[in-house]
């Protein structure tokens, strides 16, 4: 029986355009970084066994909902997942393999801090089955690392990077740019240095001041000085695209660069609006069940999450996504990646009345292009993606 | 009924922030007129806007019973009056209803702009004036110097001024005694004569209908009487007679010299003419009190609902506000860009802002306000004269013979050191100096100015160039021909009718450039570059280009961000809906007023 909220039958399988992945959130950090608005907590005492059991219980629960699906990717995010005992990671991945059939070459990523302490656990993670790490290097300049509240040094990061390369096939790292007092020339030099280290994947984020963070508070109080002017950060972004492309690491998403074929498959699930289950405090999920796209959000605080897992109520939010919202999410996520979105896919969801006119207008403005039946952002469209997506969303 | 000798009617004259409302609160409180538990700050300012802005818009009254040191109990009636030039008219009529004034001056700041205009109004109304120096407890207070200044500048004796701190209550008993001993009782008043009462003010109350504030001159006003409003001869049955304490309290009757209210099931404020004389329906007086001439709106602007679906709600709101404000006029207007709205007339710019704020707050309707304008007289070649309230209605220029604009006589009192800036400001606004005299260290300049140069931000500019030490008043003088043109603003090559203004030809380039620059800052960047032009007829006289948006993209957006980031974009989109779309350009509401402001 179709109900009011259910997607049309053709959409039941829509998630297959993106694939199916598991996100595991580890909520703890050694220290809270001043720019970070992720769900992270600093705790001196973590009962690894209790946490392991909770994750396993969660895998059993979501496994039962998605029986028979082939799992493409696993991603350990945080927080700082490199604070997890390798045994915990091992137990989780073992349970994952028992729960879902996995594709032949699954991508199993773990986010790690590039400190010497954590690098010692890399071997254990690799043995547990992790085959890709993403290192939070953030800057190649010790002063700036301190400003960003990072606990590692550049030398330590380079060392951790080398150790990671010994253990994992795929190693990526993150950088934050458009930092305080950073000039275009300084960033170019740092970027070239990063490219000389990079294997096949780099994530480079322009510093974003988020509300509710230490930087946000300082910014609101007018005390965060030296941030680049809009035009300078636009120049930095453009130069980053050019330099990476010339170095063979073109952007495949707003802030992500890879050698063709080395893209993060897990993150592509988000951008291609596939299905993903999220477990762990504050983790989000999108799951097509019984013809409905369900959005889930787990309890945010670690304690609350643990308690609720015990009571089999781990999700604070569990709601079906309307077609209208689904098409909005599909557009917002899909236009971030180079190959864009299959127009047919958007049609299936039934876009709002003004959608075609908006696409036409944005195409005329040179922000969008249509190629091979796909809507894609142009380089200039990508730079003003928020404005583009806003234009494409329906009027409220 | 209170004998005349036991009545004192008075108002308080003060500059903003000098403590008028606090003193009123203290007088009310120290006489136990209001129980302590019901006391709130600025008791007489009943509207939110009044409390927030620290201004008084409508006159308010309170009746205070005071047992004086002589053992007698006196009835003190305080009328609180607005201080702004827009409401000078209300001040003058309120003052006609009382016999004395307290002149409150901040003992550290000294005499300031608004004090002057209002104190002269009080002197014109033959008031006895008791100077009160407030805030004497502050370290910076210089009561002697300020008393001297009052004598020099205003020319009244300030040797026995009351020294008070309204905030702490110091000196309040002295003020009460001064009211009793130094202000006169009502001058005349026969109990047995036919009723003769002045209609001081009136406003609409949803439950009681129109409430009429009256000052009894002769005779007695009682519940159940039939009275005649002499201006239009209408008869009314008095339902209720009462006084303000400051909430309404019914009394049996009001006698000579007393201030109070009546209600008589009157539906509209328009049916009650301020300054009218109220008398008995039979055998009443035949000669009315002198009365006042009604206030005429001089500033016009368009008000449009942001959401066109709210037009009917807006009509309702405007009609309700007009019930209570006879000086506010309105008629329906259609704009190509803004849809349906109203062309409204106001006493001045503050009046405009107050009405607009009240519609937005009390009725929860977002509004777009168009450039304020005055009434131009357009003489056509065929001899016809058209009154132009809105530049958008300007007839075909080839059919126009000439235009006339309203002029005013502006009187400005200013300390010597700011005189140069004031003269410069008046010259810039096409003023013609008519007089320049000195009173002590103060200059008094009289200028003949075009009203359209004054309606917008003249008062703000005057305050800013004189640090608030200037007082300003004006009267309409008549119409005069000048070289006036309609200037259009084009945004992305589309004319925005709501931004059209009438300007003097010689000032058009300057104004056009200023408006284009302002709009460039006020309009957010779009995905394309936007030319902003000022034009007269088909000729572009100024141009700016708003560069295209270069970068606006969320750096990080993964699975956990989808919900929140999408909400954020939806919220931004909803925010843009509050703007107005002209072609493909979103123009924020504040642009329609801010673009007109002329800086430095």
């Amino acid at each position: 029986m179709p109900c009011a909220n259910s997607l049309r039958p053709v959409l039941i399988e829509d998630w297959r355009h993106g694939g199916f992945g598991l996100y595991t959130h580890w909520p703890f950090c050694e220290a809270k970084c001043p720019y970070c608005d992720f769900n992270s907590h600093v705790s001196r005492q973590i009962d690894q066994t209790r946490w392991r059991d909770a994750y396993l219980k969660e895998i059993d629960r979501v496994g039962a909902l998605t029986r028979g699906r082939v799992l493409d990717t696993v991603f350990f995010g945080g927080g700082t997942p490199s604070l997890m005992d390798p045994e915990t990671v091992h137990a989780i991945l073992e349970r994952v393999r028992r729960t879902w059939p996995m594709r032949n070459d699954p991508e199993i990523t773990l986010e790690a801090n590039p400190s010497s302490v954590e690098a010692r656990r890399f071997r254990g993670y690799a043995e547990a089955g992790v085959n890709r790490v993403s290192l939070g290097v953030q800057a190649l300049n010790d002063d700036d690392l301190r400003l960003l509240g990072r606990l590692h040094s550049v030398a330590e990061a380079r060392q951790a990077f080398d150790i990671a390369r010994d253990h994992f096939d795929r190693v990526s790292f993150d950088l934050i740019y458009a930092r305080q007092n950073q000039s275009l020339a300084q960033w170019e030099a740092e970027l070239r240095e990063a490219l000389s280290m990079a294997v096949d994947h780099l994530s480079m984020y322009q510093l974003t001041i988020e509300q509710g963070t230490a930087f946000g508070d300082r910014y609101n109080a007018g005390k965060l000085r030296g941030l680049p002017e809009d035009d300078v950060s636009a120049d930095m972004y453009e130069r980053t695209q050019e330099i990476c492309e010339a170095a063979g690491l073109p952007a495949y998403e707003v802030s992500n660069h890879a050698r063709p074929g080395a893209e993060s498959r897990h993150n592509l699930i988000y951008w291609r609006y596939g299905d993903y289950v999220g477990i762990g405090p504050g983790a989000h999920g999108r799951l097509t069940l019984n013809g409905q796209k369900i959005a889930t959000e787990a309890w945010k605080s670690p304690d609350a999450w643990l308690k609720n897992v015990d009571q089999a109520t781990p999700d604070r939010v569990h709601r079906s996504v309307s077609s209208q919202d689904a098409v909005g999410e599909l557009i917002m996520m899909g236009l971030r990646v180079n190959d864009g979105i299959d127009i047919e896919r958007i049609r299936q969801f039934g876009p709002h009345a003004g959608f075609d006119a908006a696409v036409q207008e944005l195409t005329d403005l040179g922000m969008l292009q249509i190629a091979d039946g796909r809507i894609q952002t142009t380089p200039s469209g990508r730079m003003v993606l928020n404005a583009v997506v806003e234009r494409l969303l329906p009027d409220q | 009924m209170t004998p005349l000798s036991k009545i004192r009617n008075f108002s308080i004259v003060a500059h903003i922030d000098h403590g008028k409302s606090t003193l009123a609160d203290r007088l009310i409180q120290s006489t136990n007129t209001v129980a302590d538990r019901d006391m709130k700050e600025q008791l007489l300012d009943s509207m939110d806007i009044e409390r927030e802005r620290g201004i008084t818009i409508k006159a308010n009254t309170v009746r205070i019973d005071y047992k004086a040191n002589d053992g007698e109990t006196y009835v003190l009636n305080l009328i609180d009056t607005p201080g702004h030039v827009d409401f000078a008219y209300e001040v003058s009529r309120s003052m006609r209803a009382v016999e004395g004034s307290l002149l409150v001056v901040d003992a550290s700041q000294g005499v300031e702009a608004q004090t002057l205009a209002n104190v002269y109004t009080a002197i014109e109304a033959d008031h006895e004036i008791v100077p009160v120096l407030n805030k004497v407890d502050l370290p910076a207070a210089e009561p002697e110097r300020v008393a001297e200044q009052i004598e020099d500048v205003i020319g009244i004796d300030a040797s026995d001024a009351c020294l008070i701190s309204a905030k702490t209550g110091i000196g309040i008993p002295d003020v009460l005694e001064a009211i009793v001993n130094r202000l006169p009782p009502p001058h005349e008043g026969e109990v047995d004569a036919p009723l003769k009462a002045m209609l001081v003010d009136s406003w609409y109350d949803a439950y009681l209908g129109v409430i009429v504030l009256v000052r009894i001159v002769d005779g007695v006003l009682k519940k159940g009487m039939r009275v005649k409003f002499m201006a239009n001869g209408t008869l009314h049955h008095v339902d209720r007679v009462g006084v303000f304490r400051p909430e309404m309290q019914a009394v049996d009757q009001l006698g000579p010299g007393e201030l109070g209210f009546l209600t008589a099931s009157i539906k509209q404020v328009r049916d009650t003419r301020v300054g009218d004389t109220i008398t008995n329906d039979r055998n009443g007086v035949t000669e009315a009190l002198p009365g006042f001439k009604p206030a005429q709106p001089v500033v016009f602007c368009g008000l449009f609902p942001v959401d066109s679906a709210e037009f009917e709600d807006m009509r309702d709101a405007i009609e309700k506000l007009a019930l209570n404000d006879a000086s506010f006029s309105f008629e329906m207007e259609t704009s190509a860009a803004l849809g349906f709205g109203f062309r409204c007339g106001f006493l001045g710019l503050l009046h405009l802002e107050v009405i607009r704020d009240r519609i937005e707050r009390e009725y929860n309707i977002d509004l777009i306000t168009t450039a304020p304008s005055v009434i131009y007289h357009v003489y056509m070649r065929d001899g016809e004269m058209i009154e132009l309230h809105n530049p958008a209605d300007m007839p075909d220029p080839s059919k126009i013979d000439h235009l006339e604009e309203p002029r005013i006589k502006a009187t400005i009192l200013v300390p010597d050191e700011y005189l140069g800036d004031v003269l410069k400001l008046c010259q810039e606004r096409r003023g013609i100096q008519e007089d320049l005299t000195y009173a002590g260290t103060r200059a008094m300049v009289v200028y003949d100015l075009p009203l359209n140069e004054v309606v917008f931000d003249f008062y703000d500019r005057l305050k800013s160039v004189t640090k608030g030490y200037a007082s300003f008043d004006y009267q309409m003088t008549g119409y005069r021909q000048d070289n006036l043109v309609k200037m259009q603003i084009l945004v992305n090559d589309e004319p925005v009718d709501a931004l059209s203004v009438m300007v003097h030809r010689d000032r058009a380039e300057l104004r056009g450039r200023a408006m284009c620059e302002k709009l460039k800052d006020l309009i957010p960047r779009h995905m394309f570059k936007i030319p902003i032009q000022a034009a007269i007829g088909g000729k572009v006289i100024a141009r700016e280009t708003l560069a295209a948006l270069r970068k606006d993209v969320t750096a990080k957006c993964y699975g956990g961000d989808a919900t929140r980031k999408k909400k954020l974009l939806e919220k931004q989109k909803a925010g843009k809906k509050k703007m107005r779309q002209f072609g493909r350009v979103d123009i924020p509401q504040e642009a329609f007023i801010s673009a007109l402001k002329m800086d430095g």
Side-chain angles (χ1 to χ4, degrees):
Chain A
M1 274 285 282
C3 73
N5 268 335
S6 70
L7 302 176
R8 278 170 292 153
V10 68
L11 298 176
I12 293 172
E13 303 290 312
D14 177 82
W15 62 271
R16 291 190 189 278
H17 288 275
F20 177 53
L22 169 71
Y23 175 77
T24 305
H25 191 84
W26 177 262
F28 301 109
C29 283
E30 291 274 7
K32 182 92 189 167
C33 297
Y35 54 85
C36 172
D37 71 334
F38 282 22
N39 186 27
S40 60
H41 303 262
V42 178
S43 174
R44 288 289 143 230
Q45 283 194 324
I46 302 161
D47 181 347
Q48 294 264 349
T49 317
R50 170 121 205 251
W51 280 87
R52 184 197 64 203
D53 292 347
Y55 287 119
L56 297 182
K57 192 169 175 199
E58 274 293 89
I59 291 167
D60 292 347
R61 181 182 66 86
V62 293
L65 294 171
T66 53
R67 202 170 303 284
R69 285 208 198 175
V70 175
L71 188 68
D72 293 307
T73 63
V74 179
F75 195 101
F76 292 92
T80 309
S82 53
L83 295 175
M84 292 171 93
D85 282 348
E87 292 72 29
T88 309
V89 175
H90 182 87
I92 290 171
L93 288 176
E94 200 178 65
R95 184 66 60 94
V96 165
R97 279 186 286 263
R98 281 199 352 229
T99 305
W100 291 283
M102 296 186 73
R103 66 182 269 173
N104 291 334
D105 54 343
E107 178 189 275
I108 300 173
T109 307
L110 183 134
E111 286 182 333
N113 263 349
S115 78
S116 48
V117 183
E118 284 154 297
R120 277 181 227 133
R121 297 193 201 105
F122 287 178
R123 173 191 294 273
Y125 296 143
E127 284 168 1
V130 173
N131 56 24
R132 182 175 181 271
V133 289
S134 171
L135 292 172
V137 173
Q138 314 308 11
L140 295 174
N141 167 325
D142 281 337
D143 290 337
D144 284 5
L145 282 173
R146 270 190 297 275
L147 274 177
L148 292 170
R150 304 297 297 186
L151 302 175
H152 62 267
S153 65
V154 175
E156 223 176 345
R158 285 178 170 278
Q159 221 168 16
F161 180 73
D162 288 340
I163 297 170
R165 290 191 61 180
D166 288 342
H167 292 294
F168 306 100
D169 297 342
R170 300 170 63 196
V171 181
S172 174
F173 62 92
D174 293 357
L175 289 176
I176 294 174
Y177 69 111
R179 305 188 298 251
Q180 288 170 273
N181 304 316
Q182 190 178 40
S183 70
L184 178 59
Q186 284 168 337
W187 166 239
E188 272 196 46
E190 188 170 324
L191 174 60
R192 288 185 195 284
E193 198 182 334
L195 284 166
S196 73
M197 289 167 64
V199 189
D200 55 8
H201 193 282
L202 265 180
S203 304
M204 284 171 296
Y205 304 104
Q206 287 213 345
L207 178 61
T208 307
I209 307 305
E210 302 283 358
Q211 291 302 310
T213 63
F215 272 4
D217 295 344
R218 254 181 265 168
Y219 182 82
N220 294 342
K223 286 181 181 157
L224 198 68
R225 298 204 179 86
L227 291 171
E229 301 284 321
D230 286 352
D231 271 333
V232 176
S233 63
D235 288 343
M236 284 182 172
Y237 186 84
E238 280 176 346
R239 278 304 281 154
T240 304
Q241 311 310 301
E242 289 161 14
I243 293 171
C244 290
E245 178 133 17
L249 260 71
Y252 68 98
E253 190 262 358
V254 172
S255 303
N256 283 277
H257 299 257
R259 276 187 216 295
E263 299 85 1
S264 161
R265 292 209 311 263
H266 182 82
N267 290 335
L268 279 171
I269 293 175
Y270 302 140
W271 299 320
R272 290 182 175 152
Y273 207 44
D275 268 7
Y276 48 98
V277 281
I279 62 172
H284 288 244
R286 290 288 183 282
L287 203 50
T288 312
L289 292 174
N290 305 320
Q292 285 189 13
K293 192 94 169 175
I294 305 291
T296 63
E297 189 187 329
W299 292 95
K300 245 181 144 171
S301 103
D303 287 342
W305 182 75
L306 282 176
K307 275 185 209 130
N308 278 284
V309 169
D310 286 347
Q311 293 157 20
T313 54
D315 288 337
R316 187 179 69 79
V317 173
H318 182 104
R319 60 178 171 86
S320 48
V321 182
S322 68
S323 299
Q324 196 71 264
D325 282 344
V327 76
E329 292 186 343
L330 172 66
I331 288 166
M332 183 180 76
M333 301 308 266
L335 289 179
R336 296 184 70 84
V337 280
N338 278 4
D339 55 358
I341 314 156
D342 186 342
I343 298 176
E344 261 322 295
R345 229 185 131 190
I346 296 177
R347 296 254 171 274
Q348 301 290 358
F349 279 98
H352 64 97
F355 181 76
D356 288 338
V359 170
Q360 189 58 54
E361 184 188 319
L362 292 163
T363 309
D364 293 345
L365 284 171
M367 302 293 145
L368 293 179
Q369 63 192 24
I370 312 268
D372 304 328
R374 300 180 75 84
I375 301 183
Q376 300 163 345
T377 45
T378 61
S380 22
R382 173 98 41 102
M383 282 182 73
V384 294
L385 185 59
N386 288 344
V388 169
V389 173
E390 238 177 68
R391 182 73 190 84
L392 292 172
L393 290 175
D395 285 329
Q396 290 300 302
Chain B
M1 221 175 320
T2 318
L4 287 183
S5 64
K6 297 289 180 289
I7 299 174
R8 298 293 183 273
N9 298 323
F10 69 104
S11 68
I12 304 179
V13 172
H15 188 74
I16 279 181
D17 287 340
H18 280 200
K20 180 173 73 164
S21 298
T22 317
L23 174 59
D25 286 355
R26 217 48 77 220
L27 296 176
I28 291 167
Q29 204 177 16
S30 68
T31 51
N32 298 318
T33 306
V34 170
D36 279 345
R37 66 175 187 315
D38 295 329
M39 200 60 207
K40 54 187 173 185
E41 298 257 302
Q42 301 180 19
L43 205 61
L44 293 185
D45 292 345
S46 52
M47 281 188 264
D48 285 349
I49 292 176
E50 294 185 322
R51 283 219 180 86
E52 258 167 47
R53 296 192 175 202
I55 53 171
T56 305
I57 297 162
K58 286 298 274 187
N60 283 295
T61 67
V62 61
R63 172 172 168 146
I64 297 167
D65 293 332
Y66 170 60
K67 192 164 192 305
N69 292 346
D70 63 11
E72 301 283 341
T73 298
Y74 290 82
V75 169
L76 314 183
N77 288 306
L78 162 63
I79 291 198
D80 190 21
T81 56
H84 192 276
V85 61
D86 279 9
F87 304 104
Y89 175 75
E90 293 209 22
V91 177
S92 74
R93 75 190 190 211
S94 299
M95 291 212 176
R96 293 267 296 275
V98 299
E99 289 79 31
S101 285
L102 303 180
L103 166 63
V104 179
V105 181
D106 184 316
S108 57
Q109 309 268 327
V111 174
E112 286 187 19
Q114 280 179 327
T115 328
L116 281 172
N118 287 342
V119 84
Y120 289 133
T121 311
I123 291 168
E124 256 172 53
D126 282 333
H127 280 196
E128 278 300 320
I129 293 168
V130 173
V132 175
L133 302 185
N134 192 16
K135 308 191 190 181
V136 293
D137 56 327
L138 294 185
E142 293 179 279
E144 296 81 13
R145 188 186 65 79
V146 172
E148 219 171 278
Q149 194 196 15
I150 291 174
E151 294 182 356
D152 285 351
V153 176
I154 302 172
I156 58 171
D157 180 9
S159 58
D160 49 1
C162 299
L163 303 184
I164 69 159
S165 163
K167 202 172 154 198
T168 63
I170 297 171
I172 299 301
D174 298 342
V175 175
L176 288 162
E177 281 300 305
I179 292 168
V180 167
N181 296 323
R182 291 164 58 185
L183 297 185
H187 303 305
E188 45 182 337
E190 289 293 328
V191 180
D192 300 326
L195 176 67
K196 189 192 225 181
M198 173 167 42
L199 198 161
V200 181
D201 200 357
S202 61
W203 58 92
Y204 184 79
D205 179 280
Y207 299 102
L208 303 174
V210 174
I211 295 171
V212 180
L213 178 63
V214 290
R215 160 69 198 268
I216 312 295
V217 179
D218 290 317
V220 178
L221 177 69
K222 283 184 193 165
K223 180 179 169 177
M225 276 172 76
R226 277 170 67 83
V227 293
K228 180 158 83 178
F229 285 30
M230 291 180 73
N232 47 16
T234 51
L235 298 180
H236 297 281
H237 180 267
V238 177
D239 297 330
R240 198 178 269 97
V241 173
V243 295
F244 294 95
R245 284 182 177 279
E247 80 288 0
M248 289 196 287
Q249 190 179 84
V251 297
D252 295 336
Q253 56 186 27
L254 290 170
E258 291 193 297
L259 266 162
F261 71 87
L262 71 84
T263 65
S265 306
I266 302 168
K267 300 275 185 311
Q268 289 197 51
V269 171
R270 280 166 203 281
D271 298 336
T272 58
R273 183 177 302 170
V274 167
D276 196 0
T277 305
I278 301 170
T279 188
N280 307 79
D281 64 335
R282 276 182 225 169
N283 305 321
V285 295
T286 47
E287 198 176 322
L289 294 159
F292 315 120
K293 65 174 195 298
Q296 293 291 347
V298 290
V299 178
F300 290 80
C301 78
L303 295 179
F304 294 85
V306 171
D307 179 354
S308 53
E310 289 185 326
F311 175 75
E312 284 305 324
D313 294 341
M314 182 179 166
R315 180 204 295 276
D316 194 43
I318 281 192
E319 281 173 356
K320 282 199 181 122
L321 286 174
L323 281 182
N324 214 354
D325 188 345
S327 53
F328 159 56
S329 71
F330 64 97
E331 60 185 30
M332 223 181 99
E333 182 186 3
T334 325
S335 152
L338 302 173
F340 290 107
F342 292 93
R343 190 81 190 162
C344 303
F346 305 93
L347 296 174
L349 222 68
L350 180 71
H351 188 209
L352 184 164
E353 284 179 28
V354 165
I355 296 276
R356 183 191 60 198
D357 285 3
R358 291 190 63 189
I359 296 172
E360 293 202 318
R361 275 188 221 193
E362 294 171 26
Y363 298 90
N364 202 19
I365 299 167
D366 284 329
L367 295 179
I368 292 174
T369 315
T370 66
S373 173
V374 299
I375 304 173
Y376 295 90
H377 288 171
V378 182
Y379 290 86
M380 307 301 288
R381 289 193 192 281
D382 64 7
E384 194 192 354
M385 191 275 275
I386 298 168
E387 283 199 351
L388 182 72
H389 290 221
N390 185 348
D393 301 333
M394 177 87 158
D396 177 357
S398 66
K399 293 187 178 151
I400 297 174
D401 186 70
H402 68 278
L403 273 92
E404 289 185 353
E405 65 176 338
R407 310 278 302 193
I408 58 165
K409 178 182 161 187
T411 307
I412 300 165
L413 281 132
V414 62
D416 200 23
E417 64 258 47
Y418 304 113
L419 179 63
D421 293 320
V422 170
L423 298 181
K424 187 161 161 273
L425 175 66
C426 292
Q427 291 308 132
E428 279 169 12
R429 302 296 172 101
R430 298 192 281 131
I432 300 163
Q433 200 186 102
E434 292 193 334
D435 198 9
L436 173 59
T437 51
Y438 276 90
T441 57
R442 277 186 180 249
M444 187 177 90
V445 273
V446 179
Y447 259 87
D448 169 37
L449 278 159
L451 180 61
N452 94 329
E453 298 283 349
V454 174
V455 289
F456 197 65
D457 61 345
F458 182 83
Y459 194 55
D460 289 343
R461 294 282 307 136
L462 182 69
K463 270 193 290 192
S464 109
V465 300
T466 63
K467 302 195 167 62
Y469 279 95
S471 74
F472 165 63
D473 211 345
Y474 67 84
Q475 291 164 287
M476 298 279 292
T477 48
Y479 275 76
R480 194 156 78 214
Q481 183 178 345
D482 217 327
N483 186 7
L484 299 159
V485 290
K486 173 181 163 183
M487 183 171 77
Q488 276 193 310
I489 298 290
L490 295 92
V491 175
N492 209 25
D493 301 322
E494 303 235 8
V496 180
D497 57 0
L499 286 170
S500 295
V501 285
M502 300 297 297
V503 288
H504 191 271
R505 185 62 191 84
D506 294 348
R507 308 232 310 144
E509 272 82 10
L510 198 72
R511 288 290 301 276
R513 210 158 43 239
M515 283 183 72
C516 290
E517 280 169 15
K518 272 273 168 62
L519 285 166
K520 189 183 160 194
D521 291 337
L522 291 162
I523 300 173
R525 285 190 182 192
H526 283 56
M527 283 181 274
F528 42 90
K529 67 172 195 255
I530 300 169
I532 301 166
Q533 296 157 304
I536 297 171
K539 186 174 169 249
V540 172
I541 56 166
R543 180 193 166 103
E544 290 283 331
T545 304
L546 174 61
L549 179 68
R550 273 193 73 194
K551 188 173 156 293
D552 176 19
V553 57
T554 306
K556 271 191 181 188
C557 191
Y558 295 98
D561 306 307
T563 310
R564 197 162 54 92
K565 302 284 187 204
K566 180 162 160 284
K567 274 207 182 112
L568 215 64
L569 292 177
E570 282 167 350
K571 210 170 127 189
Q572 273 171 31
K573 185 169 179 123
K576 284 198 182 145
K577 254 193 91 180
K578 285 196 163 184
M579 299 193 207
R580 275 287 160 164
Q581 250 198 326
F582 293 86
R584 292 179 315 179
V585 181
D586 295 314
I587 303 183
Q589 291 170 59
E590 68 264 25
F592 294 97
I593 282 257
S594 306
L596 271 294
K597 288 210 169 139
M598 290 173 279
D599 298 323

